[in-house]
Amino acid sequence: MTGEKNRRRNGLIALAGVALAAVAIWSFGFSMGPRISRSDWPRQFQSNGERLYFTGVNVGGQPIRAIGGDRHMPMMGGGACVACLGTDRQGGRLRPSFWMVAPAITAEALTGAHGDTDEHAHSAYTRESLAAALTRGLRPDGSEIGPGMPRWAMSPEDLSDLVAYILPGDSG
């Protein structure tokens, strides 16, 4: 009987160790990168695109729908761009899936070319190519963005509004 008790005790200790390790990893993973706080959000949204970026819901109350994205997307907040990219669109959120970091999506980051050594290398985005990135997961050169980036289903009007918010100005 003592052998059975020892095996059971060792099994419980191992299980507790695994659970403790999982909690530690989860806590560590979600404490990295910029924190997203609703207090940092605009008090009032200036456009439908801004509302979509922060909430994932348009002015009519219709949510946009993520298609794809990796299994960690819901844990990051899942329904809106701000969850991974931050209130300032600087990215930097550490994601638990192999510790990937979301890139910046400021106008400067999107319209400037990145070198081949950059994990997020791409040529300059236009409004058209940004729309393709958001809905089909394609970079400006037509190559596929990794599966961590969700593809979003939304109306053409919402897509146009979101693109205009992310990439303001007359960018093609």
Side-chain angles (χ1 to χ4, degrees):
M1 275 301 238
T2 34
E4 177 69 27
K5 283 183 180 181
N6 282 339
R7 279 195 298 276
R8 193 174 302 171
R9 182 182 54 121
N10 290 342
L12 287 173
I13 290 171
L15 183 60
V18 168
L20 189 58
V23 168
I25 289 169
W26 183 84
S27 297
F28 175 76
F30 288 108
S31 67
M32 301 301 287
R35 285 286 187 205
I36 305 283
S37 170
R38 288 195 86 149
S39 65
D40 295 333
W41 289 22
R43 291 197 191 288
Q44 186 173 357
F45 299 115
Q46 301 299 308
S47 67
N48 185 44
E50 184 178 44
R51 176 183 301 279
L52 287 164
Y53 180 86
F54 280 92
T55 68
V57 177
N58 71 15
V59 292
Q62 296 295 320
I64 58 175
R65 191 168 47 94
I67 300 169
D70 64 23
R71 68 184 181 279
H72 298 294
M73 191 182 77
M75 289 186 264
M76 296 299 289
C81 308
V82 71
C84 292
L85 301 167
T87 56
D88 59 3
R89 297 182 294 152
Q90 289 293 330
R93 291 285 306 235
L94 182 64
R95 297 178 43 236
S97 179
F98 300 107
W99 308 112
M100 293 170 34
V101 176
I105 63 158
T106 61
E108 180 179 295
L110 291 173
T111 58
H114 296 277
D116 292 338
T117 59
D118 187 337
E119 167 187 357
H120 303 290
H122 62 79
S123 54
Y125 278 90
T126 63
R127 284 187 173 189
E128 183 179 279
S129 62
L130 181 57
L134 294 170
T135 58
R136 297 192 328 253
L138 300 175
R139 290 186 180 89
D141 67 1
S143 64
E144 191 169 341
I145 297 172
M149 168 65 182
R151 284 60 167 152
W152 298 94
M154 64 188 97
S155 73
E157 296 81 16
D158 285 344
L159 179 59
S160 178
D161 291 347
L162 181 58
V163 167
Y165 172 70
I166 294 171
L167 195 58
D170 219 11
S171 300

